[in-house]
């Protein structure tokens, strides 16, 4: 669904004082899933990059940095194969957080 799928007149009400005996600490589980699902995509891509780095000859335990947001260019350069490292030799990545 997208924003075009929402009706023009969309009214929502919550049940007042509704009991939910199966909830943990009376949670309604509305806000957390989108946040954690987004993080899972980031870490899945990071694992894919780590696998590509091993295929390119890097050690499996070698530390690497990948910055968010993960753009196709950042993913490609983080893979660390010969073409990416040859291209990055003249790169001036900022040192530290700014």
């Amino acid at each position: 669904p997208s924003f075009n799928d929402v009706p023009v007149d969309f009214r929502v009400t919550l049940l007042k004082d509704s009991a939910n005996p199966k909830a943990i600490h009376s949670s309604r589980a509305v806000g957390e899933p989108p946040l954690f699902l987004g993080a899972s995509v980031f870490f899945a891509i990071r694992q894919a990059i780590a696998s590509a780095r091993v295929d390119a000859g890097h050690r499996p335990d070698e530390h690497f940095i990948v910055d968010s947001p993960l753009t196709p260019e950042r993913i490609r350069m983080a893979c660390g194969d010969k073409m990416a490292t040859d291209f990055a030799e003249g790169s001036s990545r900022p040192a530290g957080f700014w």
Side-chain angles (χ1 to χ4, degrees):
S2 68
F3 68 92
N4 287 333
D5 297 328
V6 178
V8 174
D9 187 9
F10 186 67
R11 299 175 192 197
V12 177
T13 59
L14 300 176
L15 299 174
K16 293 183 180 183
D17 300 323
S18 63
N20 188 355
K22 296 182 180 181
I24 301 172
H25 299 295
S26 301
S27 67
R28 301 260 196 277
V30 174
E32 294 89 358
L35 176 67
F36 291 122
L37 287 175
S40 66
V41 171
F42 176 84
F43 289 111
I45 293 172
R46 194 177 195 310
Q47 284 296 108
I49 293 169
S51 178
R53 290 176 64 84
V54 170
D55 291 346
H58 294 272
R59 294 187 335 266
D61 60 343
E62 184 178 347
H63 177 74
F64 66 95
I65 295 173
V66 62
D67 296 319
S68 182
L70 291 174
T71 61
E73 293 83 5
R74 287 182 178 171
I75 293 169
R76 179 68 181 90
M77 295 304 291
C79 289
D81 62 351
K82 180 167 176 15
M83 187 167 69
T85 53
D86 287 348
F87 182 77
E89 284 179 358
S91 177
S92 59
R93 185 177 189 276
F97 180 77
W98 48 288

